[in-house]
């Protein structure tokens, strides 16, 4: 039974890897025609049609880039070194504030963990981007208790219905209300974030705040 289970797991892994490589290959091949279309669009006379075409191409390029990142499995840590998580979060908040976004950080000035800095930074950047895009602001807090590090990212948006809390972690899945150019998004931010957090031995969960807005809770090993 154990051998059969291992064989089945290996087949599933190969199937997922093949499908992922196929999606990444298609996304890569799409970059060439998108570039050609952009060049042609930029040669058009200024006007609403040109602006809409360039906006569509921007959206397509963002989707292709996100899909390639997902296909490369950028959420998987390559190496783990001491990383100052508190400093990383403070820098992300400061970067958002520098772009005119509402952001705040509460927590220690420094807290070092063992992690892949690039992967972890991308994960939290996705969470903050979601908070800014859908919730208007991002309030980040870091605390340590019971041998775990807990990070919360709160916003003032509409939250996520209970029935959708697992669905929003699915690749390319977006709530119907977010399917607009105003909010943008590719439906990969939370999927990549969860993959990165799980790969670091952590957990991630969503909860609607009683006063309104969404709270994303991340736990990571303290060691």
């Amino acid at each position: 039974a154990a051998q059969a289970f291992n064989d089945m797991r290996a087949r599933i892994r190969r199937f997922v890897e093949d499908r992922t490589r196929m999606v990444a290959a298609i996304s890569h091949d799409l970059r060439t025609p998108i570039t050609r279309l952009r060049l042609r669009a930029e040669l058009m006379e200024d006007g609403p049609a040109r602006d809409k075409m360039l906006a569509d191409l921007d959206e397509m390029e963002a989707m292709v880039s996100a899909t390639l990142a997902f296909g490369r499995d950028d959420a998987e840590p390559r190496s783990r070194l001491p990383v100052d998580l508190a400093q990383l979060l403070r820098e992300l908040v400061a970067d958002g504030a520098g772009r005119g976004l509402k952001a705040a950080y509460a927590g220690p000035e420094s807290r070092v963990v063992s992690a892949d800095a690039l992967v972890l930074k991308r994960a939290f950047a996705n969470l903050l981007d979601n908070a800014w895009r859908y919730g208007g602001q991002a309030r980040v807090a870091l605390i340590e208790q019971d041998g775990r590090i807990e990070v919360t990212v709160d916003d003032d948006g509409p939250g996520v219905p209970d029935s959708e809390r697992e669905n929003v972690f699915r690749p390319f899945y977006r709530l119907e209300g977010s399917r607009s150019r105003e909010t943008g998004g590719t439906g990969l931010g939370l999927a990549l974030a969860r993959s990165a957090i799980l790969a670091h031995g952590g957990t991630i969960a969503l909860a609607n705040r009683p006063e309104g807005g969404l709270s994303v809770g991340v736990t990571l090993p303290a060691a």
Side-chain angles (χ1 to χ4, degrees):
Q3 182 63 46
F5 177 80
N6 290 334
D7 291 343
M8 179 185 67
R9 185 171 61 178
R11 288 195 300 271
I12 292 173
R13 183 183 297 111
R14 287 195 299 271
F15 172 76
V16 172
E17 289 175 349
D18 288 344
R19 292 291 296 272
T20 302
R21 280 195 294 268
M22 180 184 68
V23 171
I26 293 172
S27 299
H28 181 272
D29 291 343
L30 281 172
R31 281 187 157 173
T32 299
I34 289 175
T35 300
R36 288 199 300 262
L37 286 171
R38 175 174 293 281
L39 290 173
R40 293 170 184 168
E42 290 176 347
L43 293 174
M44 295 173 58
E45 294 183 2
D46 291 342
R50 178 180 182 274
D51 293 341
K52 290 180 180 179
M53 184 176 295
L54 289 173
D56 285 338
L57 290 170
D58 285 340
E59 186 175 358
M60 292 171 66
E61 284 184 340
M63 293 176 66
V64 166
S65 296
T67 303
L68 284 172
F70 184 76
R72 290 193 303 265
D73 197 15
D74 278 0
E76 186 66 26
R78 300 298 188 268
S79 61
R80 299 199 183 192
L81 298 170
V83 177
D84 193 328
L85 177 59
Q87 180 180 346
L88 183 152
L89 294 172
R90 289 189 290 109
E91 289 176 352
L92 289 174
V93 167
D95 179 68
R99 291 183 283 139
L101 301 170
K102 295 181 179 180
Y105 169 80
E109 289 292 310
S110 177
R111 181 53 171 95
V112 176
V113 298
S114 177
D116 183 316
L118 183 61
V119 172
L120 205 59
K121 182 175 182 178
R122 185 179 296 114
F124 282 107
N126 285 336
L127 296 182
L128 267 68
D129 284 342
N130 272 3
W132 285 318
R133 181 177 293 119
Y134 305 116
Q137 64 177 305
R139 292 183 297 277
V140 183
L142 186 157
I143 63 172
E144 182 174 352
Q145 61 181 5
D146 301 328
R148 307 282 288 181
I149 292 176
E150 298 181 5
V151 179
T152 57
V153 181
D154 294 349
D155 63 46
D156 292 332
V160 175
D162 293 347
S163 60
E164 298 282 9
R165 288 185 190 174
E166 183 60 29
N167 289 333
V168 294
F169 286 110
R170 290 164 45 195
F172 306 106
Y173 186 89
R174 291 187 294 176
L175 293 177
E176 191 63 30
S178 72
R179 296 177 183 273
S180 67
R181 181 165 291 141
E182 286 70 23
T183 56
T186 61
L188 279 173
L190 284 176
L192 286 169
R194 181 164 75 168
S195 294
I197 298 303
L198 292 177
H200 280 85
T203 63
I204 181 171
L206 308 180
N208 290 322
R209 302 168 59 238
E211 61 272 36
L214 183 70
S215 180
V216 182
V218 173
T219 63
L220 291 168

